[in-house]
Structure formats: structure tokens, C-alpha cells
Amino acid sequence: MTWYAPSWGRSLGAGIGLIGALGATPAVAQNVGDSFVVPNLPIDYDRGRNTGVLDRSRPEFDALGLKLGGFTLFPRVESALGYEDNVYQTSSNRKADASATVAPSARLASTWSRHSLTLEGGADIKRFLTETRRNQDSWRIVGTGRYDVGGQITVSGAARTERATEPPTSAAYPSAAAAASQYQSTQLQANAGYAAGRLRLQGGFTFGALAFEDVLTFGNGVISQSNRNSHTKSGSGRVEYAISPDTSVFVQSSYDRIDYARPLATGIPNRSSDTFRALGGATFDLSTLLRGSLGVGYIRRRYDAALYRPIGGITAEARVEYFPTALTTVTLTGRRLIEDASFLNSGGFVNTTVALRMDHELLRYVLLNAQVGYEHDTFKDTNATLDIVRASAGARYVLTRVFGVGMSVLHDLRSAHGTGSGPSYHETRVLLSIVAQR
């Protein structure tokens, strides 16, 4: 049978594009509700049987772009006004402030019948009205490509560099920082895939570099974060077999090598390590009902320094989309991984996250969403634990093909327990935005 091979070939290119768009930063804990950490080989489950609310084409509102030979340029600018009731994420002496954000971007995508190339660049500039220490300047440059070798072989590549802002809910966030914690992330990635009949084989390699900037404290001191700078080399392999047109099973394994550039502190070695992860599960796309992927396996991280004991246990990765009606999509995501800790007496922590999101198309041009997520972090060899709850709701109103407006309300609740787990706090943010695109 060869019914599966064509869609698999396309999905490999889509997967590398997703990695270029999202990026993976293994040393930085993700926000609750974000997509689970994107592996070298993203799990693909789309067989064209279902379409989510956010994926649906809306020809009367979609941007047309500017035709430039064999490419199309999509320029976009998003501006927003926001209000935060706890700018510094503290449990006492809370300070509220308003902010303004402008985020210009442009995407250049090929329109070739074979192969593909996409280039993207953008910035995200945020300014507070009074608490200027929290100002942020972020930017990104991304390139992704796919080369169709022929038959069922596809080769993909991606390169990305960005200056990003670490989310304050991160378990590794410097709790004494008054300024935003920003870092430079650079990634190079190559994937290859082969599909024949019911069988698909994939392999991928990623090189990543993280460089964290120093941050100011409330007393105008400086926190050096150079001991968080690292290089990561990751390799993955995957075998998938289709047992029916809508369901397949897979096994995959990955190996990550993380090397830190400097000691954690004087006389204290850093957390350079090797991580092995094996995962098995299934992907499915059942007509008019649900689609997704479920995987469970084992993960183990071994540190070079004897100071840090190895960490191992169950790992999991899941994303399931349910379609109760053609206008509503309910998405459940989950993950269980190991990440490096941020304080001296622990090597790493087990990160477990689940999130539930609903998107509803009220009208063709009005999209509603609501989301709640929960994260639990357990730190090795300490009594420290961390619980994070994030909830949000929002609406997007597409005025024309060029303009749209949006509103969102978000609430974070961070509960820290034990020594070194950082502050406990809660924060509410309101955001009003307008988008202009071509």
C-alpha cells in the first residue's frame, strides 16, 4: 500500500517549519499551556481528515501577500496595549503598570511546485510606562527549507537565531532579577525521511547554543548568568508503521549532549550531561471525531560531575484534538521531561505539564479561545517543588483581510515550596491588540 507515503513526505517539511517557528530551548522551562517541548522529530498526526478552528482557511480574510517572482512576501505589524497588576512577579509590594508593544514581522515563502524555502524575520519591542527596568527587546531570524530528493525521500533543514525573553514562571528564572531575563538562542537542524507503503523512517540532528545576558537586581546590582550558557547536540531516530489509514504506531529514541561553558560557581562543576530518551505510542486522525498523538517511554539523564546524581523515570508526550462540532476544537496537551535546575544543590527536576484549550468560531470573523494549564516541577535531591497554574481567555475579530483586533486576559499563579524554589506570586494581565497585514 502507498496511500500514506505522499502525506508523510509533506509532513516532514511541515515539521521542520514548525521547529523553525517555535524553537526548542532545552535549558529554559516552557510556559504552561505552550506546546510540549518540540523534539528533533515532531510527532505528526495530520492526515487531512480533520481541520482545527485555527487551521481552517478563510479565503475572504487570509492575507494575500506580495508576489515576488517565485516567492510571496507576507508583511505584518501587531501593536498592543497592556496592563499588568504585578510587573515584578512578587508576593508583596506588588506594582502595576501599563505597557505598549509593537511587533513587526515579514515572511518570504516560495511557491515552487517542488522543494520549498521560507525566510522569516521579526521583532518584539515592549515598553512599560513607569517600570522601565522591565522593558524588553526581542528579535528573530528564521530560515527553513525542504529538498525533494525524489521518490519518497525528503531532506529538510532549518536555521534560527533569536534574542528572546525568559518567562518569569520558568523554574530556572533568576528570582532576584528586577529586569527581564533575556538570552540569545541559535539553532541549526537537519532532518531526513524515507516513506514506502506503510513504513516511514526519520532521522534528525540539532545543534543549539544558549547565551544568557546579565540582569539587574532591585538594588541595582548585577546577576551574571554566564554559568547558564550551553551548547546542545541532539540526535533522534524514529520508525512508524501504519496499521490502518487513520492510525499508526511508532517507536523513537533520542540522545542529547549538553555542555556548559563555565562552572556553576567557584569550585562547583556545572551540569553538563547526557540524556537518553525512548518513546513508543500511536498517532491517529479519526474522521469528524479527533486526531492526535500519544507516547510513553523512559528518560534518563546522567551528569558528568559526581556531585549530581542521575535522574530517570517515565517520560510522556501527548497532544489530542477533539472536534465536538465543526466550529469548535478542544485540545489537550501533556508532557513529562527532565530539565536542569537553577540552584546549587540540585542537578535537575522532573517537569510535568498538562493543558486544556478550547477554540470556537463564533462567526466566520470572530474567534474565541479559553485555556487552563497546570505544571508541577519536582527537584532532585531537595525538598523543593513548584506548582504553576495559568488560565487565559481571548477573542479575535477579523475586520478585513488587512486589519484585525484582539483582546485577552491571562492569570498566572505560581506556588513554590521548599528551599530554593523561588517566589510564590499571582499576576493578571490584560492585552488589547491590533494587527495589520498584507
Side-chain angles (χ1 to χ4, degrees):
M1 295 178 65
T2 59
W3 48 263
Y4 215 156
S7 64
W8 273 350
R10 291 191 298 269
S11 69
L12 181 61
I16 197 73
L18 176 63
I19 290 180
L22 296 179
T25 54
V28 181
Q30 305 291 299
N31 278 332
V32 173
D34 287 352
S35 174
F36 45 75
V37 173
V38 181
N40 295 90
L41 303 175
I43 297 178
D44 174 61
Y45 49 80
D46 183 10
R47 294 166 174 80
R49 296 172 178 269
N50 294 288
T51 303
V53 169
L54 298 182
D55 302 325
R56 186 172 299 126
S57 176
R58 298 172 176 84
E60 66 273 34
F61 296 115
D62 291 343
L64 296 177
L66 303 171
K67 303 298 182 182
L68 301 174
F71 291 84
T72 302
L73 177 65
F74 296 93
R76 172 188 173 97
V77 176
E78 182 169 0
S79 301
L81 295 176
Y83 174 81
E84 303 177 21
D85 70 353
N86 191 3
V87 174
Y88 294 106
Q89 292 85 37
T90 57
S91 57
S92 59
N93 299 319
R94 296 158 54 94
K95 291 188 177 182
D97 200 5
S99 65
T101 302
V102 59
S105 64
R107 180 170 60 91
L108 184 67
S110 65
T111 56
W112 310 328
S113 58
R114 293 188 64 214
H115 319 305
S116 70
L117 177 64
T118 301
L119 301 175
E120 180 186 350
D124 194 332
I125 302 168
K126 184 176 183 179
R127 293 291 181 266
F128 283 91
L129 185 62
T130 58
E131 305 303 325
T132 56
R133 287 182 294 188
R134 277 298 207 205
N135 291 348
Q136 302 171 17
D137 293 314
S138 303
W139 56 266
R140 69 186 183 280
I141 300 174
V142 185
T144 62
R146 187 193 74 245
Y147 181 75
D148 300 320
V149 178
Q152 304 303 327
I153 300 175
T154 303
V155 177
S156 303
R160 177 188 184 99
T161 186
E162 65 173 334
R163 184 175 190 255
T165 302
E166 184 177 9
T169 49
S170 166
Y173 194 86
S175 57
S181 174
Q182 297 199 285
Y183 61 95
Q184 186 74 28
S185 173
T186 301
Q187 291 182 323
L188 300 173
Q189 184 165 12
N191 277 15
Y194 171 77
R198 294 174 178 260
L199 183 67
R200 177 171 68 163
L201 307 177
Q202 286 180 282
F205 175 80
T206 299
F207 171 81
L210 290 173
F212 286 83
E213 300 177 8
D214 296 345
V215 292
L216 291 176
T217 67
F218 291 97
N220 292 324
V222 175
I223 300 175
S224 173
Q225 298 198 88
S226 60
N227 60 5
R228 301 178 66 187
N229 298 348
S230 65
H231 291 165
T232 302
K233 303 179 185 70
S234 303
S236 297
R238 176 185 177 91
V239 179
E240 188 168 359
Y241 182 78
I243 59 177
S244 73
D246 54 24
T247 305
S248 65
V249 294
F250 69 87
V251 292
Q252 74 176 47
S253 62
S254 63
Y255 169 77
D256 298 336
R257 172 64 192 178
I258 302 177
D259 289 298
Y260 285 88
R262 298 188 179 186
L264 189 63
T266 302
I268 300 178
N270 216 320
R271 302 180 178 92
S272 297
S273 65
D274 300 284
T275 302
F276 172 79
R277 185 181 188 222
L279 199 68
T283 71
F284 45 88
D285 192 349
L286 309 178
S287 181
T288 70
L289 183 60
L290 56 86
R291 66 181 181 182
S293 63
L294 297 171
V296 178
Y298 179 79
I299 187 171
R300 182 173 178 82
R301 177 167 293 185
R302 184 185 63 82
Y303 296 93
D304 293 355
L307 176 65
Y308 311 113
R309 292 198 299 166
I311 305 176
I314 294 174
T315 184
E317 197 167 293
R319 183 180 183 92
V320 177
E321 293 178 295
Y322 171 58
F323 306 92
T325 73
L327 301 179
T328 303
T329 303
V330 180
T331 304
L332 176 67
T333 59
R335 69 172 186 222
R336 182 179 173 86
L337 294 170
I338 293 174
E339 299 192 45
D340 284 343
S342 59
F343 45 89
L344 299 181
N345 56 340
S346 177
F349 63 93
V350 178
N351 170 272
T352 304
T353 297
V354 294
L356 183 67
R357 177 185 174 108
M358 183 178 71
D359 293 281
H360 179 70
E361 188 176 298
L362 180 63
L363 298 170
R364 190 69 173 167
Y365 46 84
V366 178
L367 304 179
L368 307 178
N369 68 81
Q371 180 174 242
V372 62
Y374 170 71
E375 175 179 330
H376 178 73
D377 298 324
T378 303
F379 293 82
K380 182 74 171 179
D381 297 326
T382 76
N383 63 349
T385 61
L386 181 64
D387 296 288
I388 301 170
V389 177
R390 303 196 72 190
S392 67
R396 291 168 49 196
Y397 181 18
V398 184
L399 297 172
T400 68
R401 192 186 298 276
V402 177
F403 294 103
V405 296
M407 177 180 179
S408 61
V409 180
L410 308 93
H411 184 77
D412 292 351
L413 176 62
R414 188 183 197 272
S415 299
H417 314 278
T419 304
S421 56
S424 297
Y425 69 86
H426 61 90
E427 178 190 26
T428 300
R429 303 186 300 280
V430 180
L431 197 68
L432 301 173
S433 62
I434 183 168
V435 175
Q437 63 183 15
R438 177 69 169 86

